Amino acid sequence: MHRESTASVIARQLRTAIMERALQPGAQLSETALSAQFGVSRGPLREAMQRLVQEGLLRSEPNRGLFVIELDEADIRDVYVARAAIEGAAATMIARARVPAALRELRAACDAMSDSLQLGDPAALSDADFRFHDVLVQCSGSRRLARMHQTLIVETRMCLTALEGTYQQPLELVEEHNQIVDAIESGDVKLTIKRVEQHMDEALRRLIHAEDDDPGYV
């Protein structure tokens, strides 16, 4: 059985800290503090931090150290362009493969969003939303798409707090995801890509132009 390395565990914990803003945008990382927090030596910690530098979640400043990246509007637009490409490719692979298990997982992810909506739980709906997109890429079977998507999802979480993003019509949000799955199930690749791109365009529009600070959706 493959055992996750210490550096991989720390890298995952750092991503989560950045995503949940325990490490704020622009914050400088302290090796001493993080080493004590994680209970590890500096070797694996440095390896983990370098992974995040390569992923673009940390930036290195000569003679100063490592800092959490900060996202402006141009960065946010770029994140969604990249997500449309990756998730469009993943959806296309699923549509062409027509694997029933993948469709069941996607339908289940949509159902989880519907359940959260029925309960009136915005936080649960947001989590279910992110889960859908993770399932979409994982079901493609592409490890490289999944690896790239992992970083983009962290940046998306950062986007939702960098700007005051919210979605005022959650019912439409759920329907958008169902329409993506409908297109995948039909095997129509052009329609599938169109639906993914439309969803990303709408998500970006809502994120950038929203005025309230309720939980955002992706």
Side-chain angles (χ1 to χ4, degrees):
M1 180 178 178
H2 175 70
R3 184 174 180 179
E4 192 175 17
S5 70
T6 301
S8 295
V9 172
I10 297 170
R12 176 161 45 79
Q13 291 173 329
L14 286 172
R15 288 188 202 97
T16 300
I18 292 170
M19 183 170 63
E20 296 179 350
R21 295 177 74 84
L23 288 172
Q24 293 279 332
Q28 183 174 13
L29 272 63
S30 164
E31 283 191 8
T32 301
L34 290 173
S35 180
Q37 178 181 335
F38 294 134
V40 297
S41 63
R42 295 195 181 188
L45 175 63
R46 286 172 180 166
E47 181 181 341
M49 291 192 296
Q50 284 305 312
R51 290 188 189 187
L52 268 65
V53 170
Q54 293 170 356
E55 293 172 11
L57 296 175
L58 298 177
R59 72 175 193 276
S60 177
E61 294 190 11
N63 303 316
R64 292 196 63 203
L66 299 178
F67 297 80
V68 178
I69 62 166
E70 298 172 89
L71 299 172
D72 59 21
E73 185 174 317
D75 292 317
I76 293 170
R77 291 183 182 278
D78 195 40
V79 166
Y80 277 84
V81 168
R83 282 190 58 195
I86 288 174
E87 295 188 32
T92 296
M93 291 171 71
I94 299 169
R96 286 175 173 159
R98 307 292 288 274
V99 178
L103 290 168
R104 285 196 298 271
E105 285 194 55
L106 288 168
R107 290 294 182 196
C110 286
D111 289 344
M113 293 179 67
S114 296
D115 292 344
S116 300
L117 178 61
Q118 293 292 330
L119 292 171
D121 188 339
L125 178 56
S126 182
D127 287 342
D129 187 354
F130 275 96
R131 172 63 181 162
F132 173 90
H133 293 277
D134 181 59
V135 168
L136 175 64
V137 177
Q138 293 293 337
C139 283
S140 73
S142 170
R143 290 178 297 174
R144 288 170 178 79
L145 287 180
R147 187 168 63 236
M148 291 185 286
H149 192 251
Q150 180 182 53
T151 299
L152 289 170
I153 286 298
V154 175
E155 291 182 310
T156 301
R157 288 278 195 181
M158 294 175 69
C159 290
L160 294 174
T161 49
L163 294 179
E164 295 182 331
T166 185
Y167 192 16
Q168 302 295 337
Q169 298 163 308
L171 183 60
E172 291 184 9
L173 171 76
V174 175
E175 183 57 27
E176 284 179 22
H177 290 75
N178 276 309
Q179 288 176 354
I180 290 172
V181 182
D182 288 344
I184 292 172
E185 189 170 22
S186 75
D188 187 330
V189 171
K190 288 185 178 180
L191 179 60
T192 296
I193 293 173
K194 179 181 178 181
R195 292 268 172 86
V196 171
E197 290 179 345
Q198 286 176 334
H199 174 61
M200 291 300 166
D201 288 344
E202 281 298 303
L204 180 60
R205 180 187 62 78
R206 292 189 289 261
L207 177 63
I208 289 180
H209 296 296
E211 295 179 352
D212 296 329
D213 59 357
D214 296 328
Y217 306 116
V218 300

